Amino acid sequence: MKMVLLGPPGAGKGTQAERLSKHLDVPTISTGAIIRNEIKEKTQLGVEAHKYISEGKLVPDSLVISMVKERLSKPDCSKGFILDGFPRTIEQAQTLDSMTDITKVLCIKVKDEEILNRLSGRRECKVCRASYHIMYNKPAKEGICDKCGGELICREDDTVETIKNRIAVYHEQTEPIIQYYASQGKLAVVEGRDDVEDTTKAVFEALDI
Ligand code: ADP
Ligand code: ADP
Ligand code: ZN
């Protein structure tokens, strides 16, 4: 299964990708996580990308596309993968189509008002990048990752101002992709529910798994 997860920031893509990845036994490729890692490592790409990410803008297509190309060529992607956060522009979607055959695209829908709640309470594991929420998806021990014991931190771009920019960018640049995949007959849509488990159930049903 070669899957794309679509949806606004905070829709629950990362949360559901983690569950799908385990169930389907394929890797998740999160462009956001790769970029944040490059920033942490202070690579040239990281330095270049930082100015965009910190303002809630998209990193230029050319940078992100070459990153994904390299990642998809790794052997662990041969039997499938879940793309979380890519493509985010029509150009990225077209380039992806020229690289591989996507099986299915799942879009998780969440209202703009809810996005702010989700992202302002999001905490991310510094080590394994698992996503938590201070109200909706609490770790067993406050501030500590259930999966690896890593420290939970607030992402630099999860501030009110940046979140507003990211929502606007999503509507302008990413939303047109929904129609792009619908016209290919590959699109499934689910409502992002208030509860993580309910959403997972809806996602698995939509994918017939
Ligand atoms: P979220 O979890 O809020 O959807 P991501 O972790 O997927 O956010 O992405 C964080 C940021 O990384 C984006 O706001 C953008 O700056 C950059 N980014 C991630 N994926 C892409 C992409 N496919 N194209 C351009 N920029 C990207
Ligand atoms: P995305 O990758 O789409 O940006 P995340 O998976 O990181 O989204 O989820 C954003 C925030 O919302 C996280 O804090 C996460 O724990 C929380 N969350 C995810 N799914 C749900 C849900 N169905 N109901 C409530 N909160 C959720
Ligand atoms: Zn962790």
Side-chain angles (χ1 to χ4, degrees):
M1 175 96 100
K2 297 177 175 179
M3 258 196 74
V4 167
L5 277 181
L6 274 183
K13 301 182 296 298
T15 303
Q16 299 305 328
E18 197 183 305
R19 290 160 180 233
L20 282 167
S21 177
K22 211 176 270 170
H23 185 85
L24 299 169
D25 194 27
V26 294
T28 295
I29 299 161
S30 158
T31 42
I34 299 175
I35 297 168
R36 282 188 290 282
N37 198 47
E38 298 276 337
I39 293 173
K40 199 173 92 192
E41 302 288 326
K42 297 193 169 64
T43 64
Q44 200 186 336
L45 194 153
V47 172
E48 177 69 9
H50 186 246
K51 52 181 186 259
Y52 298 99
I53 221 176
S54 62
E55 290 178 16
K57 292 181 183 156
L58 292 185
V59 173
D61 285 338
S62 57
L63 292 183
V64 186
I65 286 169
S66 58
M67 230 166 62
V68 170
K69 247 183 201 158
E70 192 194 320
R71 183 63 187 88
L72 290 185
S73 70
K74 299 267 163 71
D76 65 328
C77 291
S78 60
K79 57 177 177 149
F81 49 78
I82 297 163
L83 279 167
D84 160 18
F86 183 93
R88 263 180 153 99
T89 63
I90 289 284
E91 184 179 337
Q92 292 178 16
Q94 287 167 340
T95 311
L96 181 65
D97 275 342
S98 72
M99 290 191 271
T100 187
D101 255 326
I102 295 299
T103 326
K104 195 89 192 160
V105 177
L106 183 83
C107 180
I108 306 176
K109 289 210 153 163
V110 172
K111 292 196 180 70
D112 288 357
E113 307 86 79
E114 179 60 16
I115 293 173
L116 206 58
N117 291 334
R118 295 234 186 144
L119 294 186
S120 49
R122 170 158 68 183
R123 296 292 180 272
E124 194 176 79
C125 174
K126 212 173 161 179
V127 181
C128 77
R129 300 285 175 198
S131 184
Y132 296 86
H133 192 281
I134 52 171
M135 307 276 290
Y136 311 138
N137 188 16
K138 292 184 185 175
K141 205 168 154 212
E142 196 185 319
I144 306 289
C145 177
D146 290 344
K147 284 150 198 117
C148 78
E151 185 194 348
L152 301 185
I153 53 165
C154 193
R155 263 170 51 177
E156 184 196 0
D157 58 341
D158 281 346
T159 60
V160 175
E161 201 52 38
T162 311
I163 293 168
K164 285 183 181 157
N165 284 342
R166 284 153 66 202
I167 295 173
V169 164
Y170 174 76
H171 289 307
E172 273 167 36
Q173 302 192 57
T174 307
E175 224 163 27
I177 300 180
I178 298 176
Q179 190 49 46
Y180 175 86
Y181 284 122
S183 65
Q184 293 186 1
K186 291 180 179 168
L187 186 74
V189 180
V190 297
E191 292 291 332
R193 314 285 169 88
D194 292 342
D195 181 88
V196 175
E197 301 303 330
D198 288 350
T199 309
T200 301
K201 220 171 142 231
V203 165
F204 278 52
E205 273 171 18
L207 295 170
D208 281 327
I209 52 176

